[in-house]
Amino acid sequence: LNQVVKNWDQIQTRVALAFPDIYDIGLPNLGLAILYDTLNQREDVLAERTYLPWTDMQEAMRQHHLPLYSLETRHAITNFDILGVTLPYESLYTNLLTLLDLAQIPLLTAERTEQHPLVIAGGHATYNPEPMADFVDAFAIGEGEEVIHDIVNVYQAWKSGGSPRADLLQRLTKISGVYVPSLYQAEYNEDDTLKGTYPVNDQTP
């Protein structure tokens, strides 16, 4: 009911919106619903949803080498340009790793190439992004309704130029509210509390 289905072959940018828990829990999430609506209002973007199946379905998918797919058109998540994940609470951290594994996307951002979707995350549990810094390409810190469009626009400009994935990540740092962990180095105090995060090059704000 109320799902949006667009012509896959006629859309410039394809976004998979993921809630890393079962459908019953993820569907009522208002944040994901708002992003779904605002992205699908664009003629050059389609947004589809995906959720984390229950453990018996996970086992069956792995047994049959079936990758995680979208709800609307059942395209594999690896075929999308952007994977946007909402993390409203910390207990979903490990679920995100399971979701990436089922989607057959490398867990570590350092192992991803231009052929993999850009993995972004937002939500209350990303206000401290460091616990998931190795697994998420970019975090949207704060409200996502406007910044998601900035991310899509930067992605489209990068895609048309054919430059390396590292260039995309560097461009994303110019968006206010977007944090790209691989372009910062975290330093810790002797008691393991965070001392600070510092850019790794002069181009990173």
Short mmCIF file of all heavy atoms in Angstrom, two decimals, residues 87-149:
data_model
loop_
_atom_site.label_atom_id
_atom_site.label_comp_id
_atom_site.label_asym_id
_atom_site.label_seq_id
_atom_site.Cartn_x
_atom_site.Cartn_y
_atom_site.Cartn_z
N LEU A 87 19.85 4.15 11.50
CA LEU A 87 20.27 3.50 12.74
C LEU A 87 19.70 4.30 13.92
O LEU A 87 20.39 5.15 14.49
CB LEU A 87 21.80 3.44 12.83
CG LEU A 87 22.51 2.51 11.84
CD1 LEU A 87 24.01 2.71 11.91
CD2 LEU A 87 22.15 1.06 12.11
N PRO A 88 18.47 4.02 14.32
CA PRO A 88 17.87 4.78 15.41
C PRO A 88 18.36 4.39 16.79
O PRO A 88 18.21 5.15 17.73
CB PRO A 88 16.37 4.49 15.25
CG PRO A 88 16.32 3.16 14.57
CD PRO A 88 17.52 3.10 13.68
N TYR A 89 18.95 3.19 16.93
CA TYR A 89 19.46 2.79 18.24
C TYR A 89 20.65 1.83 18.05
O TYR A 89 20.78 1.17 17.02
CB TYR A 89 18.38 2.14 19.11
CG TYR A 89 17.34 1.35 18.36
CD1 TYR A 89 17.53 0.01 18.07
CD2 TYR A 89 16.15 1.95 17.95
CE1 TYR A 89 16.58 -0.73 17.38
CE2 TYR A 89 15.19 1.22 17.26
CZ TYR A 89 15.40 -0.11 16.98
OH TYR A 89 14.45 -0.83 16.29
N GLU A 90 21.50 1.80 19.09
CA GLU A 90 22.79 1.13 18.96
C GLU A 90 22.69 -0.38 18.77
O GLU A 90 23.60 -0.99 18.22
CB GLU A 90 23.66 1.43 20.20
CG GLU A 90 24.17 2.86 20.29
CD GLU A 90 23.16 3.82 20.90
OE1 GLU A 90 22.00 3.41 21.13
OE2 GLU A 90 23.53 4.99 21.16
N SER A 91 21.61 -0.98 19.21
CA SER A 91 21.50 -2.44 19.08
C SER A 91 21.39 -2.89 17.63
O SER A 91 21.48 -4.08 17.35
CB SER A 91 20.30 -2.96 19.89
OG SER A 91 19.10 -2.34 19.46
N LEU A 92 21.23 -1.94 16.71
CA LEU A 92 21.18 -2.30 15.29
C LEU A 92 22.56 -2.28 14.63
O LEU A 92 22.67 -2.57 13.44
CB LEU A 92 20.25 -1.34 14.54
CG LEU A 92 18.76 -1.42 14.89
CD1 LEU A 92 17.95 -0.50 13.98
CD2 LEU A 92 18.25 -2.85 14.78
N TYR A 93 23.60 -1.93 15.38
CA TYR A 93 24.94 -1.91 14.80
C TYR A 93 25.30 -3.25 14.16
O TYR A 93 25.71 -3.31 13.00
CB TYR A 93 25.99 -1.58 15.87
CG TYR A 93 26.06 -0.14 16.30
CD1 TYR A 93 26.72 0.21 17.47
CD2 TYR A 93 25.48 0.89 15.56
CE1 TYR A 93 26.82 1.53 17.89
CE2 TYR A 93 25.57 2.21 15.96
CZ TYR A 93 26.24 2.53 17.14
OH TYR A 93 26.33 3.82 17.55
N THR A 94 25.15 -4.32 14.93
CA THR A 94 25.53 -5.63 14.39
C THR A 94 24.55 -6.09 13.31
O THR A 94 24.93 -6.83 12.39
CB THR A 94 25.60 -6.68 15.51
OG1 THR A 94 24.39 -6.65 16.27
CG2 THR A 94 26.77 -6.39 16.44
N ASN A 95 23.29 -5.64 13.40
CA ASN A 95 22.34 -5.96 12.33
C ASN A 95 22.76 -5.35 11.01
O ASN A 95 22.54 -5.93 9.94
CB ASN A 95 20.94 -5.47 12.70
CG ASN A 95 20.23 -6.38 13.68
OD1 ASN A 95 20.86 -7.20 14.34
ND2 ASN A 95 18.92 -6.24 13.77
N LEU A 96 23.38 -4.16 11.06
CA LEU A 96 23.86 -3.54 9.83
C LEU A 96 24.94 -4.40 9.19
O LEU A 96 24.97 -4.56 7.97
CB LEU A 96 24.41 -2.14 10.12
CG LEU A 96 25.16 -1.46 8.97
CD1 LEU A 96 24.31 -1.40 7.71
CD2 LEU A 96 25.61 -0.06 9.38
N LEU A 97 25.81 -5.00 10.00
CA LEU A 97 26.84 -5.87 9.45
C LEU A 97 26.21 -7.10 8.79
O LEU A 97 26.65 -7.54 7.72
CB LEU A 97 27.80 -6.30 10.56
CG LEU A 97 28.54 -5.18 11.29
CD1 LEU A 97 29.51 -5.76 12.31
CD2 LEU A 97 29.24 -4.26 10.33
N THR A 98 25.18 -7.65 9.42
CA THR A 98 24.47 -8.78 8.82
C THR A 98 23.82 -8.38 7.51
O THR A 98 23.85 -9.12 6.52
CB THR A 98 23.40 -9.33 9.79
OG1 THR A 98 24.03 -9.72 11.02
CG2 THR A 98 22.67 -10.51 9.20
N LEU A 99 23.24 -7.19 7.48
CA LEU A 99 22.58 -6.70 6.26
C LEU A 99 23.59 -6.54 5.13
O LEU A 99 23.34 -6.94 3.99
CB LEU A 99 21.88 -5.37 6.56
CG LEU A 99 21.02 -4.79 5.42
CD1 LEU A 99 19.72 -4.19 5.98
CD2 LEU A 99 21.77 -3.72 4.64
N LEU A 100 24.75 -5.96 5.42
CA LEU A 100 25.79 -5.81 4.40
C LEU A 100 26.25 -7.17 3.90
O LEU A 100 26.45 -7.37 2.69
CB LEU A 100 26.98 -5.04 4.96
CG LEU A 100 26.76 -3.55 5.24
CD1 LEU A 100 27.96 -2.98 5.99
CD2 LEU A 100 26.50 -2.78 3.96
N ASP A 101 26.41 -8.12 4.82
CA ASP A 101 26.85 -9.46 4.44
C ASP A 101 25.82 -10.15 3.55
O ASP A 101 26.17 -10.75 2.53
CB ASP A 101 27.11 -10.28 5.71
CG ASP A 101 27.65 -11.67 5.39
OD1 ASP A 101 28.70 -11.75 4.74
OD2 ASP A 101 27.01 -12.66 5.79
N LEU A 102 24.54 -10.03 3.91
CA LEU A 102 23.49 -10.62 3.07
C LEU A 102 23.42 -9.95 1.71
O LEU A 102 23.08 -10.59 0.71
CB LEU A 102 22.14 -10.51 3.77
CG LEU A 102 21.81 -11.54 4.84
CD1 LEU A 102 20.44 -11.26 5.44
CD2 LEU A 102 21.85 -12.96 4.28
N ALA A 103 23.71 -8.66 1.67
CA ALA A 103 23.68 -7.93 0.40
C ALA A 103 24.91 -8.21 -0.45
O ALA A 103 25.01 -7.74 -1.59
CB ALA A 103 23.56 -6.44 0.66
N GLN A 104 25.88 -8.94 0.11
CA GLN A 104 27.13 -9.27 -0.57
C GLN A 104 27.94 -8.02 -0.88
O GLN A 104 28.58 -7.90 -1.92
CB GLN A 104 26.85 -10.11 -1.83
CG GLN A 104 26.14 -11.41 -1.52
CD GLN A 104 25.76 -12.22 -2.75
OE1 GLN A 104 26.17 -11.90 -3.87
NE2 GLN A 104 24.99 -13.28 -2.56
N ILE A 105 27.92 -7.09 0.08
CA ILE A 105 28.73 -5.88 0.03
C ILE A 105 29.84 -6.04 1.05
O ILE A 105 29.58 -6.45 2.19
CB ILE A 105 27.88 -4.64 0.36
CG1 ILE A 105 26.78 -4.45 -0.68
CG2 ILE A 105 28.74 -3.38 0.45
CD1 ILE A 105 25.78 -3.35 -0.33
N PRO A 106 31.10 -5.76 0.69
CA PRO A 106 32.19 -5.88 1.68
C PRO A 106 31.89 -5.11 2.95
O PRO A 106 31.39 -3.98 2.90
CB PRO A 106 33.40 -5.29 0.94
CG PRO A 106 33.09 -5.50 -0.51
CD PRO A 106 31.60 -5.34 -0.64
N LEU A 107 32.17 -5.72 4.10
CA LEU A 107 31.86 -5.08 5.37
C LEU A 107 32.67 -3.80 5.57
O LEU A 107 32.15 -2.81 6.07
CB LEU A 107 32.13 -6.03 6.53
CG LEU A 107 31.25 -7.29 6.63
CD1 LEU A 107 31.57 -8.04 7.92
CD2 LEU A 107 29.78 -6.93 6.59
N LEU A 108 33.92 -3.80 5.19
CA LEU A 108 34.79 -2.66 5.42
C LEU A 108 34.74 -1.69 4.24
O LEU A 108 34.85 -2.10 3.08
CB LEU A 108 36.23 -3.13 5.63
CG LEU A 108 36.47 -4.00 6.87
CD1 LEU A 108 37.91 -4.52 6.88
CD2 LEU A 108 36.17 -3.23 8.14
N THR A 109 34.58 -0.41 4.56
CA THR A 109 34.54 0.59 3.49
C THR A 109 35.84 0.59 2.70
O THR A 109 35.84 0.88 1.50
CB THR A 109 34.25 1.99 4.08
OG1 THR A 109 34.20 2.93 3.02
CG2 THR A 109 35.31 2.39 5.09
N ALA A 110 36.97 0.24 3.34
CA ALA A 110 38.26 0.22 2.66
C ALA A 110 38.33 -0.84 1.57
O ALA A 110 39.16 -0.75 0.67
CB ALA A 110 39.38 0.01 3.67
N GLU A 111 37.44 -1.85 1.64
CA GLU A 111 37.46 -2.94 0.66
C GLU A 111 36.47 -2.73 -0.49
O GLU A 111 36.41 -3.55 -1.40
CB GLU A 111 37.15 -4.26 1.37
CG GLU A 111 38.21 -4.65 2.41
CD GLU A 111 37.85 -5.93 3.15
OE1 GLU A 111 36.73 -6.43 2.95
OE2 GLU A 111 38.69 -6.42 3.92
N ARG A 112 35.72 -1.64 -0.46
CA ARG A 112 34.73 -1.40 -1.51
C ARG A 112 35.35 -0.67 -2.70
O ARG A 112 36.30 0.10 -2.54
CB ARG A 112 33.54 -0.61 -0.95
CG ARG A 112 32.79 -1.38 0.12
CD ARG A 112 31.66 -0.59 0.75
NE ARG A 112 31.25 -1.25 1.99
CZ ARG A 112 30.92 -0.63 3.11
NH1 ARG A 112 30.93 0.70 3.15
NH2 ARG A 112 30.59 -1.30 4.19
N THR A 113 34.77 -0.90 -3.86
CA THR A 113 35.26 -0.28 -5.09
C THR A 113 34.13 0.52 -5.74
O THR A 113 33.03 0.64 -5.19
CB THR A 113 35.74 -1.36 -6.08
OG1 THR A 113 34.60 -2.11 -6.55
CG2 THR A 113 36.71 -2.33 -5.41
N GLU A 114 34.42 1.06 -6.93
CA GLU A 114 33.42 1.82 -7.68
C GLU A 114 32.21 0.97 -8.03
O GLU A 114 31.15 1.51 -8.35
CB GLU A 114 34.04 2.40 -8.95
CG GLU A 114 35.02 3.54 -8.73
CD GLU A 114 36.38 3.08 -8.26
OE1 GLU A 114 36.62 1.85 -8.23
OE2 GLU A 114 37.23 3.92 -7.93
N GLN A 115 32.35 -0.36 -8.01
CA GLN A 115 31.25 -1.25 -8.36
C GLN A 115 30.26 -1.47 -7.21
O GLN A 115 29.19 -2.04 -7.41
CB GLN A 115 31.78 -2.61 -8.82
CG GLN A 115 32.32 -2.62 -10.26
CD GLN A 115 33.56 -1.78 -10.43
OE1 GLN A 115 34.53 -1.91 -9.68
NE2 GLN A 115 33.55 -0.90 -11.42
N HIS A 116 30.61 -1.03 -6.01
CA HIS A 116 29.72 -1.22 -4.86
C HIS A 116 28.91 0.04 -4.59
O HIS A 116 29.35 1.14 -4.91
CB HIS A 116 30.55 -1.59 -3.62
CG HIS A 116 31.28 -2.88 -3.74
ND1 HIS A 116 32.65 -2.97 -3.80
CD2 HIS A 116 30.82 -4.16 -3.84
CE1 HIS A 116 33.01 -4.24 -3.91
NE2 HIS A 116 31.92 -4.98 -3.93
N PRO A 117 27.74 -0.12 -3.98
CA PRO A 117 26.96 1.06 -3.61
C PRO A 117 27.70 1.91 -2.57
O PRO A 117 28.47 1.39 -1.78
CB PRO A 117 25.67 0.46 -3.00
CG PRO A 117 25.63 -0.96 -3.45
CD PRO A 117 27.05 -1.38 -3.63
N LEU A 118 27.43 3.20 -2.62
CA LEU A 118 27.88 4.09 -1.55
C LEU A 118 27.04 3.80 -0.32
O LEU A 118 25.81 3.88 -0.38
CB LEU A 118 27.72 5.55 -1.98
CG LEU A 118 27.97 6.60 -0.89
CD1 LEU A 118 29.45 6.67 -0.56
CD2 LEU A 118 27.44 7.96 -1.34
N VAL A 119 27.67 3.46 0.80
CA VAL A 119 26.94 3.12 2.02
C VAL A 119 26.93 4.33 2.95
O VAL A 119 27.99 4.76 3.43
CB VAL A 119 27.57 1.90 2.73
CG1 VAL A 119 26.81 1.59 4.02
CG2 VAL A 119 27.58 0.69 1.80
N ILE A 120 25.74 4.88 3.18
CA ILE A 120 25.60 6.01 4.08
C ILE A 120 24.68 5.60 5.23
O ILE A 120 23.88 4.67 5.09
CB ILE A 120 25.05 7.26 3.37
CG1 ILE A 120 23.66 6.99 2.78
CG2 ILE A 120 26.00 7.71 2.27
CD1 ILE A 120 23.01 8.21 2.16
N ALA A 121 24.81 6.28 6.35
CA ALA A 121 23.97 5.96 7.51
C ALA A 121 23.62 7.24 8.25
O ALA A 121 24.37 8.21 8.25
CB ALA A 121 24.68 4.98 8.44
N GLY A 122 22.45 7.21 8.87
CA GLY A 122 22.00 8.33 9.69
C GLY A 122 21.08 7.82 10.78
O GLY A 122 20.80 6.62 10.87
N GLY A 123 20.61 8.73 11.60
CA GLY A 123 19.75 8.33 12.71
C GLY A 123 20.41 8.64 14.04
O GLY A 123 21.59 8.99 14.12
N HIS A 124 19.64 8.51 15.12
CA HIS A 124 20.11 8.90 16.44
C HIS A 124 21.38 8.16 16.86
O HIS A 124 22.23 8.72 17.57
CB HIS A 124 19.00 8.65 17.47
CG HIS A 124 17.81 9.53 17.29
ND1 HIS A 124 16.72 9.13 16.54
CD2 HIS A 124 17.53 10.78 17.72
CE1 HIS A 124 15.83 10.11 16.54
NE2 HIS A 124 16.30 11.12 17.24
N ALA A 125 21.52 6.90 16.47
CA ALA A 125 22.68 6.11 16.91
C ALA A 125 23.94 6.46 16.13
O ALA A 125 24.99 5.86 16.36
CB ALA A 125 22.38 4.62 16.79
N THR A 126 23.86 7.43 15.19
CA THR A 126 25.05 7.85 14.45
C THR A 126 25.57 9.19 14.95
O THR A 126 26.52 9.72 14.38
CB THR A 126 24.77 7.94 12.94
OG1 THR A 126 23.80 8.97 12.69
CG2 THR A 126 24.26 6.63 12.40
N TYR A 127 24.96 9.75 15.99
CA TYR A 127 25.48 11.01 16.53
C TYR A 127 26.89 10.82 17.05
O TYR A 127 27.69 11.76 17.06
CB TYR A 127 24.56 11.55 17.63
CG TYR A 127 23.27 12.12 17.09
CD1 TYR A 127 22.27 12.55 17.95
CD2 TYR A 127 23.04 12.22 15.72
CE1 TYR A 127 21.08 13.08 17.46
CE2 TYR A 127 21.86 12.74 15.22
CZ TYR A 127 20.88 13.17 16.09
OH TYR A 127 19.71 13.69 15.61
N ASN A 128 27.21 9.62 17.53
CA ASN A 128 28.60 9.21 17.73
C ASN A 128 28.88 8.14 16.68
O ASN A 128 28.53 6.97 16.87
CB ASN A 128 28.84 8.64 19.13
CG ASN A 128 30.23 8.04 19.26
OD1 ASN A 128 31.12 8.34 18.48
ND2 ASN A 128 30.42 7.20 20.26
N PRO A 129 29.49 8.51 15.57
CA PRO A 129 29.66 7.56 14.47
C PRO A 129 30.83 6.61 14.62
O PRO A 129 30.94 5.64 13.86
CB PRO A 129 29.88 8.48 13.26
CG PRO A 129 30.51 9.70 13.84
CD PRO A 129 29.93 9.87 15.22
N GLU A 130 31.72 6.84 15.60
CA GLU A 130 32.95 6.07 15.65
C GLU A 130 32.79 4.56 15.77
O GLU A 130 33.57 3.81 15.18
CB GLU A 130 33.85 6.59 16.78
CG GLU A 130 34.41 7.99 16.51
CD GLU A 130 35.10 8.10 15.16
OE1 GLU A 130 35.89 7.21 14.81
OE2 GLU A 130 34.84 9.07 14.44
N PRO A 131 31.80 4.03 16.52
CA PRO A 131 31.68 2.57 16.60
C PRO A 131 31.48 1.90 15.23
O PRO A 131 31.86 0.74 15.06
CB PRO A 131 30.47 2.36 17.51
CG PRO A 131 30.43 3.57 18.36
CD PRO A 131 30.86 4.69 17.46
N MET A 132 30.89 2.62 14.28
CA MET A 132 30.63 2.04 12.95
C MET A 132 31.49 2.66 11.86
O MET A 132 31.20 2.51 10.67
CB MET A 132 29.15 2.19 12.61
CG MET A 132 28.21 1.47 13.56
SD MET A 132 28.51 -0.32 13.60
CE MET A 132 27.90 -0.79 11.98
N ALA A 133 32.54 3.36 12.25
CA ALA A 133 33.33 4.14 11.30
C ALA A 133 34.00 3.29 10.22
O ALA A 133 34.18 3.76 9.10
CB ALA A 133 34.39 4.95 12.05
N ASP A 134 34.35 2.06 10.53
CA ASP A 134 35.04 1.22 9.55
C ASP A 134 34.09 0.61 8.52
O ASP A 134 34.54 0.10 7.50
CB ASP A 134 35.78 0.08 10.26
CG ASP A 134 36.98 0.57 11.05
OD1 ASP A 134 37.49 1.67 10.73
OD2 ASP A 134 37.38 -0.12 12.00
N PHE A 135 32.78 0.69 8.78
CA PHE A 135 31.82 -0.03 7.95
C PHE A 135 30.92 0.87 7.11
O PHE A 135 30.22 0.39 6.23
CB PHE A 135 30.94 -0.91 8.86
CG PHE A 135 31.72 -1.71 9.86
CD1 PHE A 135 31.73 -1.36 11.20
CD2 PHE A 135 32.48 -2.80 9.46
CE1 PHE A 135 32.46 -2.08 12.13
CE2 PHE A 135 33.22 -3.53 10.38
CZ PHE A 135 33.21 -3.17 11.72
N VAL A 136 30.91 2.16 7.41
CA VAL A 136 30.02 3.10 6.72
C VAL A 136 30.87 4.12 5.97
O VAL A 136 31.80 4.70 6.53
CB VAL A 136 29.10 3.82 7.74
CG1 VAL A 136 28.26 4.88 7.05
CG2 VAL A 136 28.20 2.80 8.43
N ASP A 137 30.55 4.34 4.69
CA ASP A 137 31.35 5.26 3.88
C ASP A 137 31.17 6.70 4.33
O ASP A 137 32.12 7.47 4.36
CB ASP A 137 30.95 5.14 2.40
CG ASP A 137 31.21 3.75 1.84
OD1 ASP A 137 32.21 3.12 2.25
OD2 ASP A 137 30.41 3.29 1.00
N ALA A 138 29.93 7.08 4.66
CA ALA A 138 29.66 8.46 5.07
C ALA A 138 28.45 8.48 5.99
O ALA A 138 27.49 7.73 5.78
CB ALA A 138 29.42 9.35 3.85
N PHE A 139 28.50 9.34 6.99
CA PHE A 139 27.39 9.52 7.92
C PHE A 139 26.71 10.86 7.67
O PHE A 139 27.38 11.87 7.46
CB PHE A 139 27.88 9.49 9.37
CG PHE A 139 28.37 8.15 9.84
CD1 PHE A 139 29.70 7.79 9.70
CD2 PHE A 139 27.49 7.25 10.43
CE1 PHE A 139 30.15 6.57 10.14
CE2 PHE A 139 27.94 6.01 10.88
CZ PHE A 139 29.27 5.67 10.73
N ALA A 140 25.39 10.87 7.72
CA ALA A 140 24.62 12.10 7.70
C ALA A 140 24.24 12.40 9.15
O ALA A 140 23.35 11.75 9.71
CB ALA A 140 23.38 11.97 6.82
N ILE A 141 24.91 13.36 9.76
CA ILE A 141 24.70 13.67 11.17
C ILE A 141 23.59 14.72 11.28
O ILE A 141 23.73 15.83 10.80
CB ILE A 141 25.99 14.20 11.82
CG1 ILE A 141 27.16 13.26 11.52
CG2 ILE A 141 25.79 14.38 13.32
CD1 ILE A 141 27.03 11.87 12.10
N GLY A 142 22.49 14.35 11.90
CA GLY A 142 21.37 15.27 12.03
C GLY A 142 20.22 14.88 11.13
O GLY A 142 20.11 13.73 10.70
N GLU A 143 19.35 15.84 10.86
CA GLU A 143 18.17 15.57 10.03
C GLU A 143 18.58 15.27 8.59
O GLU A 143 19.48 15.91 8.05
CB GLU A 143 17.21 16.76 10.07
CG GLU A 143 16.66 17.08 11.45
CD GLU A 143 15.85 15.94 12.04
OE1 GLU A 143 15.18 15.24 11.27
OE2 GLU A 143 15.89 15.75 13.27
N GLY A 144 17.90 14.31 7.97
CA GLY A 144 18.34 13.85 6.66
C GLY A 144 17.52 14.30 5.48
O GLY A 144 17.88 14.04 4.33
N GLU A 145 16.41 15.02 5.71
CA GLU A 145 15.50 15.33 4.60
C GLU A 145 16.14 16.18 3.51
O GLU A 145 15.84 16.02 2.33
CB GLU A 145 14.24 16.05 5.12
CG GLU A 145 13.33 15.18 5.97
CD GLU A 145 13.64 15.31 7.45
OE1 GLU A 145 14.82 15.49 7.80
OE2 GLU A 145 12.69 15.24 8.24
N GLU A 146 17.02 17.10 3.92
CA GLU A 146 17.67 17.97 2.93
C GLU A 146 19.03 17.43 2.50
O GLU A 146 19.39 17.46 1.33
CB GLU A 146 17.82 19.38 3.49
CG GLU A 146 16.48 20.08 3.74
CD GLU A 146 16.66 21.49 4.25
OE1 GLU A 146 17.82 21.97 4.32
OE2 GLU A 146 15.65 22.13 4.59
N VAL A 147 19.80 16.91 3.46
CA VAL A 147 21.15 16.47 3.15
C VAL A 147 21.15 15.27 2.22
O VAL A 147 22.09 15.08 1.44
CB VAL A 147 21.94 16.17 4.45
CG1 VAL A 147 21.47 14.87 5.10
CG2 VAL A 147 23.43 16.13 4.19
N ILE A 148 20.09 14.46 2.23
CA ILE A 148 20.04 13.31 1.32
C ILE A 148 20.07 13.76 -0.13
O ILE A 148 20.68 13.11 -0.99
CB ILE A 148 18.79 12.42 1.61
CG1 ILE A 148 18.87 11.12 0.80
CG2 ILE A 148 17.50 13.16 1.31
CD1 ILE A 148 20.01 10.20 1.18
N HIS A 149 19.45 14.90 -0.41
CA HIS A 149 19.47 15.43 -1.78
C HIS A 149 20.86 15.96 -2.14
O HIS A 149 21.30 15.81 -3.28
CB HIS A 149 18.41 16.51 -1.95
CG HIS A 149 17.01 15.99 -1.84
ND1 HIS A 149 16.40 15.27 -2.86
CD2 HIS A 149 16.10 16.07 -0.85
CE1 HIS A 149 15.17 14.94 -2.49
NE2 HIS A 149 14.97 15.41 -1.28
#
